[in-house]
Amino acid sequence: MLVFWKERLILLAVPKTGTTALEGALAPRAQFVLRDPPQIKHAPLYRARRFVVPLIEAAGGEGFETVAAVREPVDWLGSWWRYRQRDDLAGHPNSTRGIPFEEFVDQYARGKPAPYASVGSQARFVGCGEGSIGVDHLFRYEAMESLIGFLEERLATTIELPRLNVSPEHPMELPDHVASKLRRKREAEFAVWEAARG
């Protein structure tokens, strides 16, 4: 999470949406950088409103807006699935090593997924309850140039994005019945992505 004081802007770090690269490019420009541990770096909107915004307001800041990116849900899950195959997770309950992608997605679509498929919710991250989007400026990860254009204009700077924290490539096949189940059970994830600026 990055806070830009003069521009009254908070950049939220939705996991697996290129936020590590944005942080690398913009952290020197921010007045407030929350990068560790991951629970703080990736604090969702409701936590930012509960903890960060009151701190800002206590220092005399007001009128801050939020900006974030969300990723197409199947692609987002694919990134998590690949990321959790890394060596340092081998043997851990969160490891997806040896787990087919379709099983990972099927688990994610359940009410209580297995630990390896428990990766949170983009809709909940950017939402403000009752299924509504709470982030002021929401962009699609797949249209990163739109987000960068917004940030460049708002921050009056040029952004060069390095490729950081990139998961290794693996083929991802998703049968129709699993894709349909995911869309049915996690409808909010698709609705948020479809509502974001493309």
Coordinates of all heavy atoms in Angstrom, one line a residue, residues 16 71-85 96 101 104-105 167-168 170 172:
K16 N -1.4 -10.4 -6.5 CA -1.3 -11.0 -7.9 C -1.9 -10.0 -8.9 O -2.5 -10.5 -9.9 CB -2.0 -12.3 -7.9 CG -1.7 -13.3 -6.8 CD -0.2 -13.5 -6.6 CE 0.4 -14.3 -7.6 NZ 1.9 -14.3 -7.5
R71 N -7.9 -8.5 -11.3 CA -7.5 -9.3 -12.5 C -8.6 -10.2 -12.8 O -9.4 -10.6 -12.0 CB -6.2 -10.1 -12.0 CG -5.5 -10.8 -13.1 CD -4.2 -11.3 -12.5 NE -3.3 -12.0 -13.4 CZ -2.1 -12.3 -13.2 NH1 -1.5 -12.0 -12.1 NH2 -1.4 -13.0 -14.1
E72 N -8.7 -10.6 -14.1 CA -9.7 -11.5 -14.5 C -9.6 -12.8 -13.6 O -8.5 -13.3 -13.4 CB -9.5 -11.9 -16.0 CG -10.6 -12.7 -16.6 CD -10.7 -14.1 -16.3 OE1 -9.6 -14.8 -16.1 OE2 -11.8 -14.7 -16.1
P73 N -10.8 -13.2 -13.0 CA -10.7 -14.2 -12.0 C -10.0 -15.5 -12.3 O -9.2 -16.0 -11.5 CB -12.2 -14.5 -11.7 CG -12.8 -13.2 -12.0 CD -12.1 -12.7 -13.2
V74 N -10.2 -16.1 -13.5 CA -9.5 -17.4 -13.8 C -8.0 -17.1 -13.9 O -7.2 -17.9 -13.4 CB -10.0 -18.0 -15.1 CG1 -9.2 -19.2 -15.5 CG2 -11.5 -18.4 -14.9
D75 N -7.6 -16.0 -14.6 CA -6.2 -15.7 -14.7 C -5.6 -15.4 -13.3 O -4.4 -15.8 -13.0 CB -6.0 -14.4 -15.6 CG -4.6 -14.1 -15.9 OD1 -3.9 -15.1 -16.3 OD2 -4.2 -13.0 -15.9
W76 N -6.3 -14.7 -12.4 CA -5.9 -14.4 -11.1 C -5.6 -15.7 -10.3 O -4.6 -15.9 -9.6 CB -7.0 -13.6 -10.4 CG -6.6 -13.1 -9.0 CD1 -5.7 -12.2 -8.6 CD2 -7.3 -13.6 -7.8 NE1 -5.8 -12.0 -7.2 CE2 -6.7 -12.8 -6.7 CE3 -8.3 -14.5 -7.5 CZ2 -7.1 -13.0 -5.4 CZ3 -8.7 -14.7 -6.2 CH2 -8.1 -14.0 -5.2
L77 N -6.6 -16.7 -10.4 CA -6.4 -17.9 -9.8 C -5.2 -18.7 -10.3 O -4.5 -19.4 -9.6 CB -7.7 -18.8 -9.9 CG -8.9 -18.3 -9.1 CD1 -10.1 -19.0 -9.4 CD2 -8.6 -18.4 -7.6
G78 N -5.0 -18.6 -11.6 CA -3.9 -19.2 -12.3 C -2.5 -18.7 -11.7 O -1.6 -19.5 -11.5
S79 N -2.5 -17.4 -11.5 CA -1.3 -16.8 -10.9 C -1.0 -17.3 -9.5 O 0.1 -17.7 -9.1 CB -1.4 -15.3 -10.9 OG -0.2 -14.7 -10.4
W80 N -2.1 -17.5 -8.7 CA -2.0 -18.0 -7.3 C -1.5 -19.5 -7.4 O -0.6 -19.9 -6.6 CB -3.3 -18.0 -6.6 CG -3.5 -16.7 -5.8 CD1 -4.5 -15.8 -6.1 CD2 -2.8 -16.2 -4.7 NE1 -4.4 -14.7 -5.2 CE2 -3.4 -15.0 -4.3 CE3 -1.7 -16.7 -4.0 CZ2 -2.9 -14.3 -3.2 CZ3 -1.3 -16.0 -2.9 CH2 -1.9 -14.8 -2.5
W81 N -2.1 -20.3 -8.3 CA -1.8 -21.7 -8.4 C -0.3 -21.9 -8.8 O 0.4 -22.7 -8.2 CB -2.7 -22.3 -9.5 CG -2.4 -23.7 -9.8 CD1 -2.7 -24.8 -9.1 CD2 -1.9 -24.2 -11.1 NE1 -2.3 -25.9 -9.8 CE2 -1.8 -25.6 -11.0 CE3 -1.5 -23.5 -12.3 CZ2 -1.4 -26.4 -12.0 CZ3 -1.0 -24.3 -13.3 CH2 -0.9 -25.7 -13.2
R82 N 0.2 -21.1 -9.7 CA 1.6 -21.2 -10.1 C 2.5 -20.7 -9.0 O 3.5 -21.3 -8.7 CB 1.8 -20.3 -11.4 CG 1.2 -20.8 -12.6 CD 1.6 -20.1 -13.9 NE 1.4 -18.7 -13.8 CZ 0.4 -18.0 -14.2 NH1 -0.7 -18.6 -14.7 NH2 0.3 -16.7 -14.1
Y83 N 2.1 -19.6 -8.3 CA 2.9 -19.1 -7.3 C 3.1 -20.1 -6.1 O 4.2 -20.2 -5.5 CB 2.3 -17.8 -6.8 CG 3.0 -17.1 -5.6 CD1 4.2 -16.5 -5.8 CD2 2.4 -17.0 -4.4 CE1 4.9 -15.8 -4.8 CE2 3.1 -16.4 -3.3 CZ 4.3 -15.8 -3.5 OH 5.0 -15.2 -2.5
R84 N 2.0 -20.8 -5.8 CA 2.1 -21.7 -4.7 C 2.7 -23.1 -5.1 O 2.8 -24.0 -4.2 CB 0.7 -21.9 -4.1 CG 0.2 -20.7 -3.4 CD -1.1 -20.9 -2.6 NE -1.2 -19.8 -1.7 CZ -2.2 -19.8 -0.8 NH1 -3.1 -20.8 -0.7 NH2 -2.3 -18.8 0.1
Q85 N 3.3 -23.2 -6.3 CA 4.1 -24.4 -6.6 C 5.5 -24.2 -6.3 O 6.3 -25.1 -6.5 CB 3.9 -24.7 -8.1 CG 2.5 -25.1 -8.5 CD 2.3 -25.5 -9.9 OE1 3.3 -25.6 -10.7 NE2 1.1 -25.6 -10.4
T96 N 0.6 -26.0 -4.0 CA -0.2 -26.6 -5.1 C 0.6 -27.6 -5.9 O 0.1 -28.0 -7.0 CB -0.7 -25.4 -6.0 OG1 0.3 -24.7 -6.4 CG2 -1.7 -24.6 -5.2
F101 N -4.7 -27.7 -12.0 CA -5.3 -26.4 -11.9 C -6.8 -26.5 -11.8 O -7.4 -25.8 -11.0 CB -5.0 -25.6 -13.2 CG -5.6 -24.2 -13.2 CD1 -5.3 -23.3 -12.2 CD2 -6.4 -23.8 -14.3 CE1 -5.9 -22.1 -12.2 CE2 -7.0 -22.5 -14.3 CZ -6.7 -21.7 -13.2
F104 N -7.6 -27.1 -8.2 CA -7.4 -25.9 -7.4 C -8.6 -24.9 -7.6 O -9.1 -24.4 -6.6 CB -6.1 -25.2 -7.9 CG -5.8 -23.8 -7.3 CD1 -5.3 -23.7 -6.1 CD2 -6.1 -22.7 -8.0 CE1 -5.0 -22.5 -5.5 CE2 -5.9 -21.4 -7.5 CZ -5.3 -21.3 -6.2
V105 N -9.1 -24.7 -8.8 CA -10.2 -23.8 -9.0 C -11.5 -24.4 -8.4 O -12.3 -23.7 -7.8 CB -10.4 -23.6 -10.5 CG1 -11.7 -22.8 -10.8 CG2 -9.2 -22.8 -11.1
S167 N 5.2 -15.2 -11.5 CA 5.1 -16.6 -11.3 C 5.6 -17.3 -12.6 O 5.4 -16.8 -13.7 CB 3.7 -17.0 -11.1 OG 3.2 -16.4 -9.9
P168 N 6.2 -18.5 -12.4 CA 6.6 -19.3 -13.6 C 5.4 -19.7 -14.4 O 4.3 -19.9 -13.9 CB 7.4 -20.5 -13.0 CG 6.9 -20.6 -11.6 CD 6.5 -19.2 -11.2
H170 N 3.0 -22.1 -16.5 CA 2.5 -23.5 -16.5 C 1.3 -23.5 -17.4 O 0.4 -22.6 -17.3 CB 2.2 -24.0 -15.1 CG 3.4 -24.2 -14.3 ND1 4.3 -25.2 -14.4 CD2 3.9 -23.5 -13.2 CE1 5.3 -25.1 -13.5 NE2 5.0 -24.1 -12.8
M172 N -2.5 -24.1 -18.2 CA -3.7 -24.1 -17.4 C -4.9 -24.5 -18.3 O -5.3 -23.7 -19.1 CB -3.9 -22.7 -16.7 CG -2.9 -22.3 -15.8 SD -3.2 -20.7 -15.0 CE -3.5 -19.6 -16.3

